[in-house]
């Protein structure tokens, strides 16, 4: 046994050193992840068709626009933060991603909540419709979610919990955004409960389950 | 001095620039460059850790974990990025992990009466270096293989957590979990086994 365990460790680590492939640049990984999201988005829009009068609604309905812009921001911020969180030294970029995701979600949730007629909520809510939009949102998020987690496990995560939360928020926002683009409903309560809740729901339910995976493969 | 590029053209460089260039050779699998890099990094890492952790023994554990983290995460360094923030982040995360684990450990620890393992008159110095008292040896043999390996590497062979992790081929965190489960199982077996309890001494 060596007298200095740390130098002994250095000997062990440097013996039979395997070559490694450096991670791809952050920008190209983000572009690839956004490409996956766009492909899924294209397929979803081809199957479910965009909401009728999408542009008119976007321009004329501030609630719809704030949710759309907010979720888009959350997608980019969440995915950027996820990828930056697994590269040591890129904390500044990760913080930008976190800020964008939080602002985006606040914009989406706040926009929908601000215009919800709370006194009429009990009468206007249709829970079967809520359930279907949530299921679709989760379904649309599966492929981008796998892509984000695959990309995350290629890196080294010092803080896996942040990586998992950001990945779930970002890819959950992809699903929510696609639901928002395809769902014909404009009821702010429905938008609040289903379109904007998907990323939050996914994060709340799956963080504990996915954390061990990221701890295992991204460390 | 680590300088895979030959060294002459880079005299006067900051160490972090030199280390960054050395990482190119390390990523290609150059063992000598890697050993030199880690040797050069060691005082830097120790400074970073001891600035935050006063106990020398604990700090050295964290230094070893940081070296393992550098090893495991060496593919995440890109040469166009500065090396300093990369290595500081890796070390800082290891320090944070240590503080978190210490917090958890303190909150979990329960004072228990140490079982008298040598109550049959066998004294510590009478046992060989790797020889265990019969009750402990029997309890150890009854552990699941992974837990037994973790406990033996640390307490029988005297390896540090970081060394034991390399030996077992798992992360330091995973090894600590196995060892912790092993301790718990050992404690339960030893306190439950008739004739081994401290009350009989």
């Amino acid at each position: 046994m060596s007298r200095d365990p740390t130098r002994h460790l250095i000997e062990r680590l440097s013996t039979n050193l395997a070559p490694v492939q450096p991670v791809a640049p952050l920008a190209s990984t983000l572009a690839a992840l956004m490409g996956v999201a766009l492909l899924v988005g294209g397929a979803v829009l081809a199957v479910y068709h965009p909401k009728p009068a999408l542009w008119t609604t976007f321009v004329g309905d501030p609630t719809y626009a704030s949710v759309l812009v907010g979720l888009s921001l959350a997608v980019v911020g969440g995915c950027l933060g996820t990828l930056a969180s697994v590269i040591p030294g890129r904390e500044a970029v990760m913080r930008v991603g976190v800020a964008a995701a939080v602002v985006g979600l606040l914009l989406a949730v706040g926009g929908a909540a601000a215009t919800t007629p709370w006194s009429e909520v009990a009468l206007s809510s249709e829970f079967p419709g809520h359930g279907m939009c949530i299921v679709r949102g989760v379904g649309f998020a599966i492929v981008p979610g796998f892509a984000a987690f695959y990309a995350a496990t290629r890196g080294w995560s010092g803080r896996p919990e942040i990586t998992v939360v950001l990945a779930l928020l970002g890819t959950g926002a992809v699903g929510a955004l696609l639901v928002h683009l395809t769902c014909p409903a404009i009821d702010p309560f429905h938008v609040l409960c289903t379109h904007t809740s998907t990323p939050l729901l996914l994060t709340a339910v799956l963080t504990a389950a996915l954390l061990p995976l990221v701890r295992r493969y991204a460390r | 001095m680590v300088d895979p590029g030959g060294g002459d053209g880079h005299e006067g460089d900051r160490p972090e620039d030199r280390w960054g260039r050395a990482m190119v050779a390390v990523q290609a699998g150059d063992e000598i460059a890697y050993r030199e890099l880690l040797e050069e990094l060691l005082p830097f890492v120790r400074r970073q850790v001891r600035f935050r952790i006063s106990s020398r023994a604990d700090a050295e554990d964290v230094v070893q974990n940081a070296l393992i983290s550098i090893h495991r995460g060496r593919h995440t360094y890109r040469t166009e990025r500065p090396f300093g923030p990369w290595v500081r982040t890796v070390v800082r995360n290891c320090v944070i992990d240590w503080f978190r684990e210490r917090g958890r450990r303190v909150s979990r620890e329960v004072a228990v009466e140490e079982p008298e393992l040598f109550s049959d008159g066998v004294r510590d110095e009478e046992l060989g270096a790797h020889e265990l008292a019969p009750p402990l040896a029997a309890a150890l043999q009854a552990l699941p293989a992974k837990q037994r390996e973790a406990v033996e590497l640390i307490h029988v062979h005297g390896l540090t957590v970081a060394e034991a992790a390399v030996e077992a081929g798992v992360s330091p965190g995973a090894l600590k979990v196995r060892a912790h489960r092993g301790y718990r199982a050992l404690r339960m077996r030893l306190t439950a086994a008739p004739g081994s309890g401290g009350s009989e001494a």
Side-chain angles (χ1 to χ4, degrees), chain A residues 123-199:
Chain A
L123 297 174
S124 67
S125 56
E126 294 171 8
F127 282 94
H130 290 334
M132 183 49 71
C133 279
I134 288 176
V135 169
R136 280 186 183 169
V138 171
F140 297 159
I142 287 175
V143 173
F146 271 110
F149 276 94
Y150 176 75
T153 55
R154 305 294 295 162
W156 181 88
S157 182
R159 302 268 66 87
E161 57 277 16
I162 295 178
T163 304
V164 170
V165 167
L166 285 172
L168 287 170
L169 284 179
T171 55
V174 173
L177 182 63
L178 293 175
V179 166
H180 196 56
L181 285 170
T182 52
C183 175
I186 54 166
D187 173 15
F189 183 65
H190 171 82
V191 170
L192 177 66
C193 287
T194 60
H195 303 189
T196 63
S197 70
T198 306

Side-chain angles (χ1 to χ4, degrees), chain A residues 1-2 4-26 28-29 85-93 95 152-162 215-219, chain B residues 25-32 34-35 38-39 42 46 60 63-65 67-78 80-81 85-87 89-90 92-94 96-97 100 104 157-160 162-163 166-167 171:
Chain A
M1 190 64 54
S2 168
D4 183 345
T6 306
R7 294 198 185 276
H8 184 59
L9 177 67
I10 288 174
E11 286 293 322
R12 280 163 172 264
L13 291 177
S14 55
T15 304
N16 299 324
L17 182 69
V20 289
Q21 182 71 35
V23 289
L26 184 57
S28 54
T29 315
S85 72
V86 294
I87 301 177
R90 305 308 300 269
E91 288 72 29
V93 179
R95 280 193 285 272
T153 55
R154 305 294 295 162
W156 181 88
S157 182
R159 302 268 66 87
E161 57 277 16
I162 295 178
R215 281 209 173 111
R216 182 184 176 100
Y217 293 109
R219 294 206 74 170
Chain B
V26 169
Q27 289 174 337
D30 185 336
E31 294 180 9
I32 295 169
Y34 192 38
R35 189 172 302 129
L38 291 179
E39 291 281 356
L42 187 55
R46 278 186 172 140
E60 203 57 21
V63 166
Q64 292 181 10
N65 282 345
L67 292 177
I68 291 177
S69 294
I70 288 169
H71 179 76
R72 286 174 186 259
R74 64 192 189 280
H75 66 291
T76 60
Y77 175 71
R78 288 196 57 84
E80 71 270 18
R81 306 288 312 166
W86 182 85
V87 71
T89 300
V90 173
R92 189 172 57 240
N93 281 325
C94 290
I96 292 170
D97 283 345
R100 285 184 173 182
R104 280 198 296 267
H157 299 289
L159 300 187
T160 62
E163 286 180 312
V166 172
E167 191 70 34
S171 70

Side-chain angles (χ1 to χ4, degrees), chain B:
Chain B
M1 183 73 62
V2 176
D3 193 347
D8 294 344
H10 301 298
E11 280 182 13
D13 275 355
R14 294 183 313 154
E16 292 178 9
D17 298 334
R18 210 169 52 239
W19 297 337
R21 285 196 302 276
M23 279 297 275
V24 180
V26 169
Q27 289 174 337
D30 185 336
E31 294 180 9
I32 295 169
Y34 192 38
R35 189 172 302 129
E36 288 179 359
L37 173 66
L38 291 179
E39 291 281 356
E40 265 202 56
L41 276 177
L42 187 55
F44 172 83
V45 174
R46 278 186 172 140
R47 255 196 322 276
Q48 297 279 319
V49 172
R50 286 185 184 162
F51 182 69
R52 297 172 175 90
I53 299 174
S54 54
S55 158
R56 287 182 78 87
D58 288 339
E60 203 57 21
D61 263 353
V62 176
V63 166
Q64 292 181 10
N65 282 345
L67 292 177
I68 291 177
S69 294
I70 288 169
H71 179 76
R72 286 174 186 259
R74 64 192 189 280
H75 66 291
T76 60
Y77 175 71
R78 288 196 57 84
T79 48
E80 71 270 18
R81 306 288 312 166
F83 185 80
W86 182 85
V87 71
R88 269 190 288 273
T89 300
V90 173
V91 175
R92 189 172 57 240
N93 281 325
C94 290
V95 172
I96 292 170
D97 283 345
W98 181 82
F99 276 110
R100 285 184 173 182
E101 194 183 331
R102 189 183 64 162
R104 280 198 296 267
R105 204 168 51 226
V106 168
S107 67
R108 265 200 320 250
E109 277 178 353
V110 178
V112 294
E113 197 175 335
E114 284 292 321
E116 289 281 342
L117 299 180
F118 307 117
S119 58
D120 55 354
V122 182
R123 299 168 72 86
D124 203 4
E125 56 269 26
E126 290 170 2
L127 294 169
H130 291 177
E131 200 176 333
L132 298 171
L136 181 56
L140 198 55
Q141 282 306 313
L143 289 181
K146 287 178 178 174
Q147 293 176 15
R148 185 171 64 242
E149 180 189 35
V151 174
E152 283 181 346
L153 285 172
I154 295 174
H155 289 285
V156 180
H157 299 289
L159 300 187
T160 62
V161 170
E163 286 180 312
V166 172
E167 191 70 34
V170 296
S171 70
L175 189 103
K176 285 179 192 173
V177 169
R178 287 179 186 178
H180 176 74
R181 289 178 179 158
Y183 304 149
R184 198 169 51 193
L186 277 179
R187 188 183 303 136
M188 286 173 65
R189 285 177 190 280
L190 291 170
T191 50
S196 65
S199 57
E200 294 181 9

Side-chain angles (χ1 to χ4, degrees), chain A residues 6-78:
Chain A
T6 306
R7 294 198 185 276
H8 184 59
L9 177 67
I10 288 174
E11 286 293 322
R12 280 163 172 264
L13 291 177
S14 55
T15 304
N16 299 324
L17 182 69
V20 289
Q21 182 71 35
V23 289
L26 184 57
S28 54
T29 315
L30 180 66
L33 190 52
M34 289 294 105
V36 170
L38 284 174
L39 279 176
V40 172
V44 166
L45 291 176
V47 173
Y48 290 96
H49 306 297
K51 176 188 186 71
L54 180 63
W55 178 248
T56 314
T57 313
F58 179 72
V59 174
D61 184 351
T63 302
Y64 188 82
S66 71
V67 172
L68 195 68
V69 171
L71 288 174
S72 303
L73 202 54
V75 168
V76 177

